[in-house]
Amino acid sequence: MTDSSCQVVRTLDVIGEKWSLLIIRNALRGQTKYSEFRESLGAPTDILTSRLAKLVESGVLEKRAYREPGDRERASYHLTERGQALRVVIAAMMQWGNEYNPAPQGAASLLVDTDGATVELAYVGSSGAVLDRGEVLIAPGPAASTQWAPIGAIARG
Amino acid sequence: MTDSSCQVVRTLDVIGEKWSLLIIRNALRGQTKYSEFRESLGAPTDILTSRLAKLVESGVLEKRAYREPGDRERASYHLTERGQALRVVIAAMMQWGNEYNPAPQGAASLLVDTDGATVELAYVGSSGAVLDRGEVLIAPGPAASTQWAPIGAIARG
């Protein structure tokens, strides 16, 4: 990739490979066992093993040993705080999908609070007020590596 | 992919291929011309052409013709409303990256309002109150296709 200070590139380095984000999605649904990931994702086992190892290496999942009675020791995978925080990326994809690419059969997942009430992902300004999406833009930061378009040309909406 | 009602899978179908999300990132920065995408991304030209075509096909970009004085007609690419709305996915990745995988040289991009003040992506409940991330979870929706873990086991944080 071309600019390693870009947070989008850096995040893609952690979760951008096929299956990685779906492993995280399933972990957020409460799955921890290799067999659960394998059965629900249908990913090839060598790929699944490699993605789980990479997510452990990057601190998104923590590997633990468990043993069921009469069985051999197996590994389970648990989201770290860093991994839990990826819920915001999954939530953004769910929200965009619900609005702009809904499935005919309805939503497979919902973002809810602990009472089951609907939650939305929204832009909040420094005053704590929720902003309209037309009031928000992505601007160059201190480490911007490339020349951006003039600020007036930056897409809004 | 295994379950096409899942909004994460459906969103990955649109933006999950390598380079697609970076094209959208650059379009949100104001780029529209093929030559701008090519120079700043460094993607192979055949891949770039194919990704741009797919994003046009899926209604994320709109292709327009333009002609500079004395030059031949060329194509430019503009985010549609559907494409603009993908800012939330980019913003989620930026925010996670800033907190959990920051670049040593600082942030390349910032999420700001029209006055340049910092904006955050936050979870907002139905009452309009900003929720702590520990109060939010992803739960099965009406079209959930697979058996999920018992709700008490769903990861929070």
Coordinates of all heavy atoms in Angstrom, one line a residue, chain B residues 18-105:
Chain B
K18 N -9.9 -5.4 -2.8 CA -8.7 -4.5 -2.6 C -8.8 -3.3 -3.5 O -9.1 -3.5 -4.7 CB -7.5 -5.3 -2.8 CG -6.2 -4.6 -2.3 CD -5.0 -5.5 -2.6 CE -3.7 -4.6 -2.3 NZ -2.5 -5.3 -2.7
W19 N -8.5 -2.2 -3.1 CA -8.5 -0.9 -3.8 C -9.9 -0.2 -3.8 O -9.9 1.0 -3.9 CB -8.0 -1.0 -5.3 CG -6.6 -1.5 -5.4 CD1 -6.3 -2.7 -5.9 CD2 -5.4 -0.9 -4.9 NE1 -4.9 -2.9 -5.8 CE2 -4.3 -1.8 -5.2 CE3 -5.1 0.4 -4.3 CZ2 -3.0 -1.5 -4.9 CZ3 -3.8 0.7 -4.0 CH2 -2.8 -0.3 -4.3
S20 N -11.0 -0.9 -3.7 CA -12.3 -0.3 -3.8 C -12.5 0.8 -2.8 O -12.9 1.9 -3.0 CB -13.4 -1.3 -3.7 OG -13.3 -2.2 -4.8
L21 N -12.2 0.4 -1.5 CA -12.3 1.4 -0.4 C -11.4 2.5 -0.5 O -11.7 3.6 -0.1 CB -12.2 0.6 0.9 CG -12.9 1.1 2.1 CD1 -14.4 1.2 1.8 CD2 -12.7 0.2 3.3
L22 N -10.2 2.3 -1.1 CA -9.2 3.4 -1.2 C -9.7 4.3 -2.3 O -9.4 5.5 -2.3 CB -7.8 2.8 -1.4 CG -7.3 2.0 -0.3 CD1 -5.9 1.5 -0.6 CD2 -7.3 2.8 1.0
I23 N -10.3 3.8 -3.3 CA -10.9 4.7 -4.4 C -11.9 5.6 -3.8 O -12.0 6.8 -4.0 CB -11.5 3.8 -5.5 CG1 -10.4 3.1 -6.3 CG2 -12.3 4.7 -6.5 CD1 -10.9 2.1 -7.3
I24 N -12.8 5.0 -2.9 CA -13.8 5.8 -2.3 C -13.2 6.8 -1.3 O -13.6 8.0 -1.3 CB -14.8 4.9 -1.5 CG1 -15.5 4.0 -2.5 CG2 -15.8 5.6 -0.6 CD1 -16.1 2.7 -1.9
R25 N -12.2 6.4 -0.6 CA -11.5 7.4 0.3 C -11.0 8.5 -0.5 O -11.2 9.7 -0.1 CB -10.3 6.6 1.0 CG -9.4 7.5 1.8 CD -8.0 7.0 2.0 NE -7.3 6.9 0.8 CZ -6.0 6.5 0.7 NH1 -5.3 6.1 1.7 NH2 -5.4 6.4 -0.5
N26 N -10.4 8.3 -1.7 CA -9.8 9.4 -2.5 C -10.9 10.2 -3.1 O -10.8 11.4 -3.2 CB -8.9 8.8 -3.6 CG -7.5 8.4 -3.0 OD1 -7.4 8.0 -1.8 ND2 -6.5 8.4 -3.8
A27 N -12.0 9.6 -3.5 CA -13.2 10.3 -4.0 C -13.7 11.3 -2.9 O -14.1 12.4 -3.2 CB -14.3 9.4 -4.5
L28 N -13.7 10.8 -1.7 CA -14.2 11.6 -0.6 C -13.2 12.8 -0.3 O -13.6 13.8 0.3 CB -14.3 10.8 0.7 CG -15.6 9.9 0.8 CD1 -15.5 8.9 1.9 CD2 -16.9 10.7 1.0
R29 N -12.0 12.6 -0.7 CA -11.0 13.7 -0.7 C -11.1 14.7 -1.8 O -10.3 15.6 -1.9 CB -9.6 13.2 -0.7 CG -9.2 12.4 0.6 CD -7.8 11.9 0.4 NE -7.3 11.2 1.6 CZ -6.2 10.5 1.7 NH1 -5.3 10.5 0.7 NH2 -5.8 9.9 2.8
G30 N -12.0 14.4 -2.8 CA -12.2 15.3 -3.9 C -11.7 14.9 -5.2 O -11.8 15.6 -6.2
Q31 N -11.1 13.7 -5.3 CA -10.6 13.3 -6.6 C -11.7 12.8 -7.5 O -12.6 12.2 -7.0 CB -9.6 12.1 -6.4 CG -8.3 12.6 -5.7 CD -7.2 11.5 -5.7 OE1 -7.4 10.4 -6.1 NE2 -6.0 11.9 -5.2
T32 N -11.6 13.1 -8.7 CA -12.6 12.6 -9.7 C -12.0 12.0 -11.0 O -12.6 11.2 -11.6 CB -13.5 13.7 -10.2 OG1 -12.7 14.8 -10.8 CG2 -14.3 14.4 -9.0
K33 N -10.7 12.3 -11.3 CA -10.2 11.9 -12.6 C -9.4 10.6 -12.4 O -8.7 10.4 -11.5 CB -9.2 13.0 -13.1 CG -9.9 14.3 -13.4 CD -8.9 15.3 -13.8 CE -9.5 16.7 -14.0 NZ -8.5 17.8 -14.1
Y34 N -9.5 9.8 -13.5 CA -8.7 8.6 -13.6 C -7.3 8.8 -13.2 O -6.7 8.1 -12.4 CB -8.9 8.0 -15.0 CG -8.3 6.6 -15.1 CD1 -9.0 5.4 -14.8 CD2 -6.9 6.5 -15.5 CE1 -8.4 4.2 -14.9 CE2 -6.3 5.3 -15.6 CZ -7.1 4.1 -15.3 OH -6.4 2.9 -15.4
S35 N -6.7 9.8 -13.8 CA -5.3 10.1 -13.6 C -4.9 10.4 -12.2 O -3.9 10.0 -11.6 CB -4.8 11.2 -14.5 OG -5.5 12.4 -14.2
E36 N -5.9 11.1 -11.5 CA -5.7 11.4 -10.0 C -5.7 10.1 -9.2 O -4.8 9.9 -8.3 CB -6.8 12.3 -9.5 CG -6.7 13.7 -10.1 CD -7.9 14.5 -9.6 OE1 -9.1 14.0 -9.7 OE2 -7.7 15.7 -9.3
F37 N -6.7 9.2 -9.5 CA -6.7 7.9 -8.8 C -5.5 7.1 -9.0 O -4.8 6.6 -8.1 CB -8.0 7.1 -9.2 CG -9.3 7.7 -8.7 CD1 -10.2 8.1 -9.6 CD2 -9.5 7.9 -7.4 CE1 -11.4 8.7 -9.2 CE2 -10.8 8.4 -6.9 CZ -11.7 8.8 -7.9
R38 N -5.1 7.1 -10.3 CA -3.9 6.3 -10.7 C -2.6 6.7 -10.0 O -1.9 6.0 -9.4 CB -3.7 6.3 -12.2 CG -2.8 5.2 -12.7 CD -2.4 5.5 -14.2 NE -1.8 6.8 -14.3 CZ -2.1 7.7 -15.3 NH1 -3.0 7.4 -16.2 NH2 -1.5 8.9 -15.3
E39 N -2.4 8.1 -10.0 CA -1.2 8.6 -9.4 C -1.1 8.4 -7.9 O -0.1 8.1 -7.4 CB -1.0 10.1 -9.8 CG -0.5 10.2 -11.2 CD -0.7 11.6 -11.8 OE1 -0.8 12.6 -11.0 OE2 -1.0 11.7 -13.0
S40 N -2.3 8.7 -7.3 CA -2.2 8.7 -5.8 C -2.3 7.3 -5.2 O -1.8 7.0 -4.2 CB -3.2 9.6 -5.2 OG -4.5 9.2 -5.5
L41 N -3.0 6.4 -5.9 CA -3.1 5.0 -5.4 C -2.0 4.1 -5.8 O -1.6 3.2 -5.0 CB -4.5 4.4 -5.8 CG -5.7 5.0 -5.2 CD1 -7.0 4.4 -5.8 CD2 -5.7 4.8 -3.7
G42 N -1.5 4.3 -7.0 CA -0.5 3.4 -7.5 C -1.0 2.0 -7.7 O -0.3 1.0 -7.7
A43 N -2.3 1.8 -8.0 CA -2.9 0.5 -8.3 C -2.6 0.2 -9.8 O -2.5 1.1 -10.6 CB -4.4 0.6 -8.1
P44 N -2.4 -1.1 -10.1 CA -2.3 -1.4 -11.5 C -3.4 -0.9 -12.3 O -4.6 -1.0 -11.9 CB -2.3 -3.0 -11.5 CG -2.0 -3.3 -10.1 CD -2.5 -2.2 -9.2
T45 N -3.2 -0.4 -13.6 CA -4.2 0.3 -14.3 C -5.4 -0.7 -14.6 O -6.6 -0.2 -14.6 CB -3.7 0.9 -15.6 OG1 -3.1 -0.1 -16.4 CG2 -2.7 2.0 -15.3
D46 N -5.1 -1.9 -14.9 CA -6.3 -2.8 -15.3 C -7.2 -3.0 -14.1 O -8.4 -3.1 -14.2 CB -5.8 -4.2 -15.9 CG -4.8 -4.9 -14.9 OD1 -4.1 -4.2 -14.2 OD2 -4.8 -6.1 -15.0
I47 N -6.6 -3.1 -12.9 CA -7.4 -3.3 -11.6 C -8.1 -2.0 -11.4 O -9.3 -2.1 -11.0 CB -6.4 -3.6 -10.5 CG1 -5.5 -4.8 -10.7 CG2 -7.2 -3.7 -9.2 CD1 -6.0 -6.1 -10.1
L48 N -7.5 -0.9 -11.5 CA -8.2 0.4 -11.2 C -9.4 0.6 -12.1 O -10.5 0.9 -11.7 CB -7.2 1.5 -11.4 CG -7.7 3.0 -11.2 CD1 -8.3 3.1 -9.8 CD2 -6.6 4.0 -11.4
T49 N -9.2 0.3 -13.4 CA -10.3 0.4 -14.4 C -11.4 -0.5 -14.0 O -12.6 -0.1 -14.0 CB -9.8 0.0 -15.8 OG1 -8.7 0.9 -16.1 CG2 -10.8 0.1 -16.9
S50 N -11.1 -1.8 -13.6 CA -12.1 -2.7 -13.3 C -12.9 -2.3 -12.0 O -14.1 -2.4 -11.9 CB -11.5 -4.1 -13.2 OG -11.9 -4.8 -12.1
R51 N -12.1 -1.8 -11.0 CA -12.8 -1.4 -9.7 C -13.7 -0.2 -10.0 O -14.8 -0.1 -9.4 CB -11.7 -1.0 -8.7 CG -10.9 -2.2 -8.2 CD -11.7 -3.2 -7.5 NE -10.8 -4.3 -7.1 CZ -10.5 -5.4 -7.8 NH1 -11.0 -5.5 -9.0 NH2 -9.7 -6.3 -7.4
L52 N -13.2 0.8 -10.8 CA -14.0 2.0 -11.1 C -15.3 1.5 -11.8 O -16.4 2.0 -11.4 CB -13.2 3.0 -11.9 CG -12.2 3.8 -11.2 CD1 -11.3 4.5 -12.2 CD2 -12.8 4.8 -10.3
A53 N -15.2 0.6 -12.7 CA -16.4 0.1 -13.4 C -17.3 -0.5 -12.5 O -18.6 -0.3 -12.6 CB -16.0 -0.8 -14.6
K54 N -16.8 -1.3 -11.6 CA -17.7 -2.0 -10.6 C -18.4 -1.0 -9.7 O -19.6 -1.2 -9.3 CB -16.9 -3.1 -9.8 CG -17.9 -4.1 -9.2 CD -17.2 -5.1 -8.3 CE -18.3 -5.7 -7.4 NZ -17.8 -6.5 -6.3
L55 N -17.7 0.0 -9.3 CA -18.3 1.0 -8.4 C -19.3 1.8 -9.1 O -20.3 2.2 -8.5 CB -17.2 1.9 -7.8 CG -16.3 1.2 -6.7 CD1 -15.1 2.1 -6.4 CD2 -17.1 0.8 -5.5
V56 N -19.2 2.0 -10.4 CA -20.2 2.7 -11.2 C -21.4 1.8 -11.3 O -22.6 2.2 -11.1 CB -19.7 3.1 -12.6 CG1 -20.8 3.5 -13.5 CG2 -18.6 4.2 -12.5
E57 N -21.1 0.5 -11.6 CA -22.2 -0.5 -11.7 C -23.1 -0.6 -10.5 O -24.3 -0.8 -10.5 CB -21.6 -1.8 -12.1 CG -22.5 -2.9 -12.6 CD -21.7 -4.2 -12.7 OE1 -20.5 -4.2 -13.2 OE2 -22.2 -5.2 -12.4
S58 N -22.4 -0.5 -9.3 CA -23.1 -0.7 -8.1 C -23.7 0.6 -7.5 O -24.2 0.7 -6.4 CB -22.3 -1.4 -7.0 OG -21.1 -0.7 -6.8
G59 N -23.6 1.7 -8.3 CA -24.2 2.9 -8.0 C -23.5 3.8 -6.9 O -24.1 4.7 -6.3
V60 N -22.2 3.5 -6.7 CA -21.4 4.2 -5.7 C -20.8 5.4 -6.4 O -20.7 6.5 -5.8 CB -20.4 3.3 -5.1 CG1 -19.3 4.1 -4.3 CG2 -21.0 2.3 -4.2
L61 N -20.4 5.3 -7.6 CA -19.8 6.3 -8.4 C -20.7 6.6 -9.7 O -21.3 5.6 -10.2 CB -18.4 6.0 -8.9 CG -17.3 5.9 -7.8 CD1 -16.0 5.4 -8.5 CD2 -17.1 7.2 -7.1
E62 N -20.7 7.8 -10.1 CA -21.3 8.1 -11.4 C -20.2 8.6 -12.4 O -19.4 9.4 -12.0 CB -22.3 9.3 -11.1 CG -23.1 9.7 -12.3 CD -23.9 11.0 -12.0 OE1 -24.7 11.0 -11.1 OE2 -23.6 12.0 -12.7
K63 N -20.3 8.0 -13.6 CA -19.3 8.4 -14.6 C -19.8 9.5 -15.4 O -21.0 9.5 -15.9 CB -19.1 7.1 -15.5 CG -17.9 7.2 -16.4 CD -17.7 5.8 -17.1 CE -16.6 5.9 -18.1 NZ -16.3 4.6 -18.7
R64 N -19.0 10.5 -15.6 CA -19.3 11.7 -16.5 C -18.2 11.9 -17.5 O -17.1 11.5 -17.3 CB -19.5 12.9 -15.6 CG -20.6 12.9 -14.6 CD -20.8 14.2 -13.9 NE -21.5 14.0 -12.6 CZ -21.4 14.8 -11.5 NH1 -20.6 15.9 -11.6 NH2 -22.0 14.5 -10.4
A65 N -18.6 12.6 -18.5 CA -17.6 12.9 -19.5 C -17.1 14.4 -19.3 O -17.9 15.2 -18.9 CB -18.1 12.8 -20.9
Y66 N -15.8 14.6 -19.5 CA -15.4 16.0 -19.5 C -14.3 16.2 -20.5 O -13.7 15.2 -21.0 CB -14.8 16.4 -18.1 CG -13.5 15.8 -17.7 CD1 -12.3 16.6 -17.9 CD2 -13.4 14.5 -17.3 CE1 -11.1 16.1 -17.6 CE2 -12.1 14.0 -17.0 CZ -11.0 14.8 -17.1 OH -9.8 14.2 -16.8
R67 N -14.1 17.4 -20.9 CA -13.1 17.7 -22.0 C -12.3 18.9 -21.6 O -12.9 20.0 -21.4 CB -13.7 17.8 -23.3 CG -12.8 17.9 -24.5 CD -13.5 18.5 -25.8 NE -14.5 17.6 -26.2 CZ -14.4 16.7 -27.2 NH1 -13.2 16.5 -27.7 NH2 -15.4 16.0 -27.6
E68 N -11.0 18.8 -21.5 CA -10.2 20.0 -21.2 C -9.8 20.6 -22.6 O -9.7 19.9 -23.5 CB -9.0 19.7 -20.3 CG -9.5 19.5 -18.9 CD -8.4 19.0 -17.9 OE1 -7.3 18.7 -18.4 OE2 -8.7 18.9 -16.7
P69 N -9.7 22.0 -22.6 CA -9.4 22.7 -23.9 C -8.3 22.0 -24.7 O -7.2 21.7 -24.1 CB -9.0 24.1 -23.4 CG -9.6 24.3 -22.1 CD -9.7 22.9 -21.5
G70 N -8.6 21.7 -25.9 CA -7.6 21.1 -26.8 C -7.3 19.6 -26.5 O -6.4 19.0 -27.1
D71 N -8.1 19.0 -25.7 CA -7.8 17.6 -25.3 C -9.0 16.8 -25.7 O -10.0 17.2 -26.1 CB -7.6 17.6 -23.8 CG -6.6 16.5 -23.4 OD1 -6.2 15.7 -24.2 OD2 -6.1 16.6 -22.2
R72 N -8.8 15.4 -25.7 CA -9.9 14.5 -26.1 C -10.9 14.4 -24.8 O -10.5 14.8 -23.7 CB -9.4 13.2 -26.5 CG -8.7 12.4 -25.4 CD -8.4 11.0 -25.9 NE -7.6 10.2 -24.9 CZ -8.1 9.6 -23.9 NH1 -9.4 9.6 -23.6 NH2 -7.4 8.9 -23.0
E73 N -12.0 13.9 -25.1 CA -13.0 13.7 -24.0 C -12.5 12.6 -23.1 O -12.0 11.6 -23.5 CB -14.3 13.3 -24.6 CG -15.4 13.3 -23.6 CD -16.8 13.0 -24.2 OE1 -17.4 14.0 -24.8 OE2 -17.3 11.9 -24.2
R74 N -12.6 12.8 -21.8 CA -12.2 11.8 -20.8 C -13.3 11.6 -19.8 O -14.3 12.3 -19.8 CB -11.0 12.3 -20.0 CG -9.7 12.4 -20.9 CD -8.6 13.1 -20.1 NE -7.5 13.5 -21.0 CZ -6.5 12.7 -21.4 NH1 -6.4 11.5 -21.0 NH2 -5.6 13.2 -22.2
A75 N -13.2 10.6 -19.0 CA -14.2 10.2 -18.0 C -13.8 10.7 -16.6 O -12.6 10.7 -16.3 CB -14.5 8.7 -17.9
S76 N -14.8 11.2 -15.9 CA -14.5 11.5 -14.5 C -15.5 10.7 -13.6 O -16.6 10.3 -14.1 CB -14.6 13.0 -14.2 OG -15.8 13.5 -14.5
Y77 N -15.2 10.6 -12.4 CA -16.0 9.7 -11.5 C -16.4 10.5 -10.2 O -15.6 11.1 -9.6 CB -15.2 8.5 -11.1 CG -14.8 7.6 -12.3 CD1 -13.6 7.9 -13.0 CD2 -15.6 6.6 -12.7 CE1 -13.3 7.2 -14.1 CE2 -15.3 5.9 -13.8 CZ -14.1 6.2 -14.5 OH -13.8 5.4 -15.6
H78 N -17.7 10.5 -10.0 CA -18.3 11.3 -8.9 C -19.1 10.5 -8.0 O -19.9 9.6 -8.4 CB -19.1 12.4 -9.5 CG -18.4 13.3 -10.5 ND1 -17.8 14.5 -10.2 CD2 -18.0 13.0 -11.8 CE1 -17.2 14.9 -11.2 NE2 -17.3 14.1 -12.2
L79 N -18.9 10.7 -6.7 CA -19.7 9.9 -5.7 C -21.2 10.2 -5.8 O -21.5 11.4 -5.9 CB -19.2 10.3 -4.3 CG -17.9 9.7 -3.9 CD1 -17.4 10.4 -2.6 CD2 -17.9 8.2 -3.6
T80 N -22.0 9.2 -5.8 CA -23.4 9.4 -5.8 C -23.8 9.6 -4.3 O -22.9 9.5 -3.4 CB -24.2 8.1 -6.3 OG1 -23.7 7.1 -5.4 CG2 -23.8 7.8 -7.7
E81 N -25.1 9.8 -4.0 CA -25.5 9.9 -2.6 C -25.1 8.6 -1.8 O -24.7 8.6 -0.7 CB -27.0 10.1 -2.5 CG -27.5 10.4 -1.1 CD -29.0 10.1 -0.9 OE1 -29.7 10.1 -1.9 OE2 -29.4 9.8 0.2
R82 N -25.4 7.5 -2.5 CA -25.0 6.2 -2.0 C -23.5 6.1 -1.7 O -23.1 5.4 -0.7 CB -25.4 5.2 -3.1 CG -25.3 3.7 -2.8 CD -25.7 3.0 -4.1 NE -25.4 1.6 -4.2 CZ -26.3 0.7 -3.8 NH1 -27.5 1.0 -3.4 NH2 -26.0 -0.6 -3.9
G83 N -22.7 6.6 -2.6 CA -21.3 6.6 -2.4 C -20.9 7.6 -1.2 O -20.0 7.2 -0.4
Q84 N -21.4 8.8 -1.2 CA -21.1 9.7 -0.2 C -21.4 9.1 1.2 O -20.7 9.4 2.2 CB -22.1 11.0 -0.3 CG -21.9 11.8 -1.5 CD -20.8 12.9 -1.3 OE1 -20.2 12.9 -0.2 NE2 -20.6 13.7 -2.3
A85 N -22.5 8.3 1.3 CA -22.8 7.7 2.6 C -21.8 6.7 3.1 O -21.8 6.4 4.3 CB -24.2 7.1 2.5
L86 N -21.0 6.2 2.2 CA -19.9 5.3 2.7 C -18.9 6.0 3.5 O -18.0 5.4 4.1 CB -19.2 4.7 1.5 CG -20.0 3.5 0.8 CD1 -19.4 3.1 -0.5 CD2 -20.0 2.3 1.8
R87 N -19.0 7.4 3.6 CA -18.1 8.1 4.5 C -18.1 7.5 5.9 O -17.2 7.5 6.7 CB -18.5 9.6 4.6 CG -17.5 10.4 5.5 CD -18.0 11.8 5.6 NE -17.7 12.5 4.4 CZ -18.7 12.9 3.5 NH1 -19.9 12.7 3.8 NH2 -18.3 13.6 2.4
V88 N -19.3 7.0 6.3 CA -19.4 6.4 7.7 C -18.5 5.2 7.9 O -17.9 5.0 9.0 CB -20.9 6.1 8.1 CG1 -21.4 4.9 7.3 CG2 -21.1 5.9 9.6
V89 N -18.3 4.4 6.8 CA -17.4 3.2 6.9 C -16.0 3.7 7.0 O -15.2 3.2 7.8 CB -17.7 2.3 5.7 CG1 -16.7 1.1 5.8 CG2 -19.1 1.8 5.7
I90 N -15.6 4.7 6.2 CA -14.3 5.2 6.2 C -14.0 5.9 7.6 O -12.9 5.7 8.2 CB -14.1 6.3 5.1 CG1 -14.3 5.7 3.7 CG2 -12.7 7.0 5.2 CD1 -13.2 5.0 3.1
A91 N -15.0 6.6 8.1 CA -14.8 7.3 9.4 C -14.6 6.3 10.5 O -13.8 6.5 11.4 CB -16.0 8.2 9.6
A92 N -15.4 5.2 10.4 CA -15.2 4.1 11.5 C -13.8 3.5 11.4 O -13.2 3.3 12.5 CB -16.3 3.1 11.3
M93 N -13.3 3.3 10.2 CA -12.0 2.8 10.1 C -10.9 3.8 10.6 O -9.9 3.4 11.2 CB -11.7 2.3 8.7 CG -12.6 1.2 8.3 SD -12.4 0.7 6.5 CE -10.9 -0.1 6.6
M94 N -11.1 5.0 10.3 CA -10.2 6.1 10.7 C -10.2 6.1 12.3 O -9.1 6.2 12.9 CB -10.6 7.5 10.2 CG -10.3 7.7 8.8 SD -11.2 9.3 8.2 CE -10.6 10.5 9.4
Q95 N -11.4 6.1 12.8 CA -11.5 6.3 14.3 C -10.9 5.1 15.0 O -10.1 5.3 16.0 CB -13.0 6.4 14.6 CG -13.2 6.9 16.0 CD -14.6 7.5 16.2 OE1 -14.9 8.6 15.5 NE2 -15.4 7.0 17.0
W96 N -11.1 3.9 14.5 CA -10.5 2.7 15.2 C -9.0 2.8 15.0 O -8.3 2.5 16.0 CB -11.1 1.4 14.6 CG -10.5 0.2 15.2 CD1 -11.0 -0.4 16.4 CD2 -9.4 -0.6 14.8 NE1 -10.2 -1.4 16.7 CE2 -9.2 -1.6 15.8 CE3 -8.5 -0.5 13.8 CZ2 -8.2 -2.5 15.7 CZ3 -7.5 -1.4 13.7 CH2 -7.3 -2.4 14.7
G97 N -8.5 3.1 13.8 CA -7.1 3.2 13.6 C -6.4 4.3 14.5 O -5.4 4.0 15.0
N98 N -7.1 5.4 14.7 CA -6.5 6.5 15.5 C -6.3 6.0 16.9 O -5.4 6.3 17.6 CB -7.4 7.7 15.6 CG -7.2 8.5 14.3 OD1 -6.2 8.4 13.6 ND2 -8.2 9.4 14.1
E99 N -7.3 5.2 17.4 CA -7.3 4.8 18.8 C -6.4 3.5 19.0 O -5.7 3.5 20.0 CB -8.7 4.6 19.3 CG -8.8 4.4 20.8 CD -10.2 4.5 21.3 OE1 -11.2 4.9 20.5 OE2 -10.5 4.1 22.5
Y100 N -6.5 2.6 18.1 CA -5.9 1.3 18.4 C -4.8 0.9 17.5 O -4.1 -0.1 17.7 CB -7.0 0.2 18.3 CG -8.0 0.3 19.5 CD1 -9.2 0.9 19.3 CD2 -7.7 -0.2 20.7 CE1 -10.1 1.1 20.3 CE2 -8.6 0.0 21.8 CZ -9.8 0.6 21.6 OH -10.7 0.7 22.6
N101 N -4.5 1.7 16.5 CA -3.4 1.3 15.6 C -2.8 2.6 15.0 O -2.7 2.7 13.8 CB -3.9 0.4 14.5 CG -2.8 -0.2 13.7 OD1 -1.7 -0.5 14.2 ND2 -3.1 -0.5 12.4
P102 N -2.5 3.6 15.9 CA -2.1 4.9 15.3 C -0.7 4.8 14.6 O 0.2 4.0 15.0 CB -2.0 5.8 16.6 CG -1.8 4.9 17.7 CD -2.5 3.6 17.4
A103 N -0.5 5.7 13.6 CA 0.7 5.7 12.9 C 1.7 6.7 13.8 O 1.2 7.6 14.3 CB 0.5 6.3 11.5
P104 N 3.0 6.3 13.8 CA 3.9 7.1 14.6 C 3.9 8.6 14.2 O 4.1 9.5 15.0 CB 5.2 6.5 14.4 CG 5.0 5.2 13.7 CD 3.6 5.2 13.1
Q105 N 3.7 8.8 12.9 CA 3.8 10.2 12.4 C 2.5 11.0 12.5 O 2.4 12.2 12.1 CB 4.2 10.2 10.9 CG 3.3 9.5 9.9 CD 3.6 8.0 9.8 OE1 3.7 7.2 10.8 NE2 3.7 7.5 8.5

